[in-house]
Amino acid sequence: MKTRSELFLWIHLGGIIMFPLFLTITLVGLCTGERYSYVIELPLLVLIAIVPILLMQLYRPFNIFSVLFLSLKPETLTENQKKILVRFQTKQQKLLSAIAAILMLISLGFLYILAPTFSNIDILFLPRNRALGLAIAIIAFLGSNLFLQIPLSALQVLSTKESELAQTQACTSEEIARNFTTLGFWVKRIPGLTKTTLEQNQAN
């Protein structure tokens, strides 16, 4: 299957290993210092750490042809890769993103309830400062959302049948720049991850 031979999909699927690490760091942040109020803290966590990632996946999905702040220029992508990007805009993907956001909301509730259990434990050398702890929790929970949403989307695309991919209309280079969230610098090749023109022609 053409999707299963795309290395970028597997790289971003592998990002799921970072998910439990970021959840753990979130718990560390929530354990730090005396709480202000759940009326302030929980909405803040939701608005900064859940909503932006959800909106990104719903309206401008993450461009998976990006690694470590390097992104392949749209004009260098193959027809197959452009079709793969379109698969991130399907209704199934949007539903999956919404379900993932709900699960993260539930997870946040559990972490917030669990945090006081560890509040008396001195964690590393962190000062008992709630503002610092809350900042750590927000950043870490944002990361956990990112490393859940993107791998789940990659998994959904990897499950796409070859017949479905063949029927998909490839997006244009202009649409990639306009309709997808791309982080990092545009490059023609990412050493070790992209093939030369000759290798692409041989593969096709």
Side-chain angles (χ1 to χ4, degrees), residues 15-28:
I16 193 68
I17 64 173
M18 300 297 292
F19 174 68
L21 173 62
F22 276 98
L23 273 189
T24 302
I25 297 173
T26 300
L27 181 60
V28 170

Side-chain angles (χ1 to χ4, degrees), residues 70-118:
L70 295 177
S71 304
L72 291 179
K73 289 184 175 181
E75 58 269 23
T76 66
L77 299 181
T78 65
E79 190 80 359
N80 190 63
Q81 288 174 325
K82 290 178 179 179
K83 288 183 178 182
I84 285 174
L85 275 179
V86 173
R87 300 303 303 178
F88 283 90
Q89 296 177 308
T90 63
K91 291 181 179 179
Q92 293 93 329
Q93 285 284 12
K94 296 179 187 297
L95 177 60
L96 183 63
S97 296
I99 293 172
I102 293 172
L103 291 176
M104 289 305 296
L105 186 60
I106 295 172
S107 298
L108 176 61
F110 278 121
L111 289 176
Y112 201 80
I113 292 171
L114 186 63
T117 306
F118 301 93

Side-chain angles (χ1 to χ4, degrees), residues 119-130:
S119 60
N120 293 324
I121 300 176
D122 289 329
I123 302 171
L124 300 178
F125 48 83
L126 290 177
R128 308 299 292 178
N129 184 292
R130 188 57 179 178

Side-chain angles (χ1 to χ4, degrees), residues 172-190:
T172 65
S173 297
E174 292 75 19
E175 287 173 332
I176 294 174
R178 185 171 63 249
N179 299 331
F180 292 88
T181 299
T182 302
L183 303 178
F185 302 98
W186 293 109
V187 295
K188 291 183 178 180
R189 294 187 70 239
I190 300 178

Side-chain angles (χ1 to χ4, degrees), residues 185-202:
F185 302 98
W186 293 109
V187 295
K188 291 183 178 180
R189 294 187 70 239
I190 300 178
L193 296 179
T194 50
K195 299 178 180 179
T196 63
T197 303
L198 177 60
E199 290 172 330
Q200 289 176 0
N201 291 336
Q202 289 175 341

Side-chain angles (χ1 to χ4, degrees), residues 107-179:
S107 298
L108 176 61
F110 278 121
L111 289 176
Y112 201 80
I113 292 171
L114 186 63
T117 306
F118 301 93
S119 60
N120 293 324
I121 300 176
D122 289 329
I123 302 171
L124 300 178
F125 48 83
L126 290 177
R128 308 299 292 178
N129 184 292
R130 188 57 179 178
L132 174 62
L134 197 57
I136 291 172
I138 289 172
I139 294 171
F141 202 60
L142 179 70
S144 66
N145 271 279
L146 190 66
F147 284 106
L148 177 67
Q149 289 277 10
I150 294 176
L152 284 180
S153 293
L155 181 62
Q156 173 77 8
V157 174
L158 281 167
S159 67
T160 302
K161 296 179 180 179
E162 191 167 349
S163 58
E164 290 179 310
L165 188 65
Q167 295 173 2
T168 301
Q169 180 68 41
C171 55
T172 65
S173 297
E174 292 75 19
E175 287 173 332
I176 294 174
R178 185 171 63 249
N179 299 331

